[in-house]
Amino acid sequence: MLAISRRTPCTQVAYHYSRRAGLALMATATLVGLVGCTNDEELATTAIAEWVETNPQVVNGSVPMEAPPFTRLRAPDLGPVLGFHLEGQDENERLETMRTLVGDALAERTVDVYPVEKNSFLSTGEMLYLPAIDPARLQDADARELLETLNADHPGNIYLPFTTSRGIAYLPSHDSFRELDGVEPDPTFVAFANLQDHRDDDREAFLDALVDEGLLRSEDRRVLTSNNDVILGEWTGSRGFSGYPKVARLYFATEKSRGRIEFTEGKFPKRVYPRLKLASATSEELLDIQPARATRHEGVQVTFTQRKIKSQLREIPAVREYLDGISPYNRMYQDAKTVLAGDTKTTGVYQVNITAHGVGGYKPSPMADILLEGPTTLHVFEVVNPDAPLGEATTLSTGLGGSSVRTRIGQWKFDRMERIFERETELGVQRIGEATLRFDYAPSTSAQMDSLTKLGLASEGLPADGATKTIECKLFREGEVFRAEQCREIKA
């Protein structure tokens, strides 16, 4: 197309816009009544042609997508998708028609996906197709490192804490509020029971039962206590809170408890949290790796199989009785109570989020059955060239009325100048230019109209190839040229 400038010589403009009609330069000049290159008609031709070029009037149609409402394909690496079908579905006319467009317009790709039905108040029966991970990635070095991280962090291990509050602590050294001398806490220290007052008979029976099993040893000693802290040593500080002297029974781990009692450090260096392991969990195989969801930190959501082994400690009557006496609303003990009730599966599918901040969000995977069954193949028709012939397309999305793809049908282009005249208005006399536009079909769309119509393109109301319409524009003189504004179609 000729690049239109407001100072393009009149002979070039007249020749360019007379080509469709097959008229010579002088015939065009006669049609519009030109008398020399300074004629207002020629200036109006340039101005209106420029306005049409800078304000393209594109006509689009819509092709319904194959996917029904409440269906989504979660595949961010794909471009606009016209439709898809599951492997094994019967061939139909629409599917065959889409395949006629494969090439310049569409690409047919196969994607392994997991079909998931999501039921909620707003989207009953919604189908969500999640892309399956490449099986090779589940075996590469990064995947092995994820599996090692899981087994090092022990998500899924189930413990019985030795206290109902924040934990048992000993103070191995002084801080800014305390000064300790000769404090040598035993690293095997587990718990203490106050023999002087505020006794907890159930808890003491639980601890003494572990002594009987050889998992703990006990000794009675006078110590300084403060809430759940106990100072094993002499207090010689001259400032700070020194605790209350109490006669207490101290409990320590034994060689037999190795691997059954774990010591976890708390937020403060002096505080530890001994706990009894009731079930251990070994992560065995990765099933899926996806970007982490529902977390503030970047990372991955890992789905994996896990085998749990229950400890015989759960069969000790005192352990069961101790847990029975704890409120069922105490979240610290919910997992332990589940183990004792026998509800923990020895194998299962679980998921966690692994980020730079650690492992979290451990829970049974809602996709366990689907992942174990394996993915299914989806044939996806992706729009690979927005200009041939489907235009700018939308991605597959949900909606009560379904979704569609926009397709570029053609464009109205400047054809010829008709006349200029003056019109009386309330603001005075206004110069008006009148021109004819011609509709040109996009070449690729014109060649595929039959196929697009079979796909559901609504052709009613679309202009025919070569159709014309008349527009009028307000003309404003700016020095030696005109400027066209407020162009609109003249309705019959």
Side-chain angles (χ1 to χ4, degrees):
M1 178 183 289
L2 176 68
I4 303 297
S5 168
R6 291 183 180 178
R7 290 179 171 82
T8 300
C10 62
T11 54
Q12 294 184 34
V13 176
Y15 174 73
H16 175 68
Y17 291 110
S18 65
R19 284 185 300 172
R20 288 185 190 277
L23 301 178
L25 174 61
M26 294 306 297
T28 302
T30 301
L31 174 66
V32 297
L34 296 178
V35 183
C37 286
T38 59
N39 190 281
D40 285 356
E41 298 271 3
E42 179 58 36
L43 298 179
T45 299
T46 302
I48 295 177
E50 183 184 54
W51 185 92
V52 172
E53 187 167 307
T54 56
N55 297 273
Q57 301 181 42
V58 178
V59 176
N60 294 304
S62 63
V63 177
M65 287 187 176
E66 181 184 33
F70 300 118
T71 300
R72 285 190 293 170
L73 171 63
R74 181 179 287 168
D77 57 321
L78 291 177
V81 173
L82 178 64
F84 58 76
H85 69 99
L86 290 171
E87 187 175 50
Q89 285 184 337
D90 294 335
E91 300 289 312
N92 55 45
E93 183 179 0
R94 180 184 175 86
L95 179 58
E96 294 173 358
T97 303
M98 281 194 291
R99 283 182 167 150
T100 66
L101 296 173
V102 171
D104 291 339
L106 301 178
E108 183 176 7
R109 295 178 49 179
T110 57
V111 182
D112 288 335
V113 295
Y114 295 110
V116 182
E117 183 174 354
K118 296 181 64 180
N119 289 312
S120 65
F121 177 75
L122 297 176
S123 59
T124 303
E126 176 181 353
M127 289 302 299
L128 178 64
Y129 292 95
L130 301 176
I133 189 171
D134 181 359
R137 190 185 171 197
L138 296 173
Q139 306 297 328
D140 63 16
D142 290 339
R144 290 195 298 270
E145 183 176 345
L146 290 174
L147 199 58
E148 291 173 1
T149 299
L150 291 173
N151 281 312
D153 194 82
H154 308 299
N157 283 4
I158 297 177
Y159 302 95
L160 171 58
F162 278 103
T163 179
T164 58
S165 57
R166 293 179 299 169
I168 298 298
Y170 58 83
L171 304 178
S173 62
H174 68 83
D175 56 22
S176 59
F177 301 100
R178 292 179 176 176
E179 296 177 2
L180 302 176
D181 185 23
V183 175
E184 297 291 342
D186 192 319
T188 63
F189 172 68
V190 171
F192 77 96
N194 189 344
L195 300 182
Q196 203 164 307
D197 49 21
H198 303 295
R199 296 181 58 176
D200 186 340
D201 294 334
D202 292 337
R203 182 168 175 275
E204 289 178 28
F206 158 62
L207 294 170
D208 290 337
L210 297 181
V211 173
D212 295 339
E213 294 288 332
L215 296 172
L216 297 178
R217 67 176 180 86
S218 64
E219 62 178 85
D220 295 346
R221 188 192 302 181
R222 178 177 289 275
V223 295
L224 296 176
T225 66
S226 172
N227 296 325
N228 286 318
D229 299 338
V230 57
I231 299 173
L232 305 182
E234 296 295 328
W235 172 260
T236 60
S238 59
R239 59 187 177 86
F241 177 66
S242 61
Y244 301 101
K246 299 290 181 182
V247 176
R249 179 164 296 162
L250 308 181
Y251 296 89
F252 302 88
T254 66
E255 186 65 28
K256 188 177 179 179
S257 63
R258 186 184 300 273
R260 300 183 179 185
I261 296 178
E262 293 186 1
F263 296 84
T264 303
E265 291 187 359
K267 295 181 179 179
F268 305 100
K270 305 179 187 64
R271 187 177 292 278
V272 294
Y273 300 84
R275 52 189 183 175
L276 192 68
K277 187 192 293 185
L278 295 183
S280 60
T282 301
S283 302
E284 297 182 314
E285 180 184 6
L286 297 186
L287 298 179
D288 191 42
I289 304 173
Q290 298 291 341
R293 303 187 183 97
T295 176
R296 293 176 298 173
H297 310 292
E298 291 186 2
V300 292
Q301 183 186 76
V302 180
T303 307
F304 55 97
T305 60
Q306 189 176 77
R307 178 171 52 91
K308 293 183 185 291
I309 301 176
K310 299 178 183 180
S311 168
Q312 294 181 349
L313 298 178
R314 68 193 184 93
E315 303 298 336
I316 299 176
V319 174
R320 305 181 69 89
E321 292 171 4
Y322 177 58
L323 275 174
D324 286 343
I326 294 175
S327 168
Y329 301 105
N330 192 319
R331 296 180 60 185
M332 183 181 293
Y333 290 87
Q334 284 179 358
D335 289 341
K337 293 174 78 71
T338 300
V339 169
L340 295 189
D343 293 337
T344 299
K345 296 181 179 179
T346 56
T347 58
V349 178
Y350 300 85
Q351 66 185 39
V352 296
N353 290 321
I354 300 180
T355 69
H357 293 263
V359 176
Y362 174 84
K363 62 182 178 180
S365 171
M367 291 182 59
D369 294 338
I370 297 171
L371 287 169
L372 292 175
E373 289 175 3
T376 186
T377 301
L378 200 67
H379 293 258
V380 178
F381 292 89
E382 180 184 9
V383 179
V384 292
N385 185 351
D387 296 322
L390 293 170
E392 298 179 358
T394 60
T395 55
L396 201 60
S397 60
T398 60
L400 288 170
S403 301
S404 62
V405 174
R406 294 177 62 217
T407 176
R408 185 188 183 101
I409 303 299
Q411 182 174 345
W412 289 98
K413 297 182 179 179
F414 183 90
D415 184 56
R416 64 182 182 272
M417 186 70 192
E418 299 294 347
R419 62 178 181 139
I420 63 171
F421 59 93
E422 293 183 345
R423 176 182 293 158
E424 290 285 346
T425 69
E426 294 180 357
L427 300 178
V429 177
Q430 174 68 59
R431 183 181 285 109
I432 305 296
E434 194 175 284
T436 295
L437 305 185
R438 181 181 298 273
F439 186 73
D440 281 353
Y441 260 68
S444 57
T445 303
S446 178
Q448 299 288 358
M449 277 301 293
D450 289 342
S451 295
L452 295 175
T453 302
K454 288 181 180 179
L455 291 177
L457 173 68
S459 57
E460 183 178 353
L462 295 178
D465 192 13
T468 61
K469 68 177 181 179
T470 303
I471 64 169
E472 65 175 30
C473 305
K474 293 182 179 180
L475 299 174
F476 301 89
R477 181 178 292 277
E478 293 183 344
E480 299 179 359
V481 298
F482 280 164
R483 172 172 54 87
E485 294 289 349
Q486 302 178 32
C487 296
R488 60 182 180 84
E489 182 181 356
I490 300 176
K491 300 295 185 181

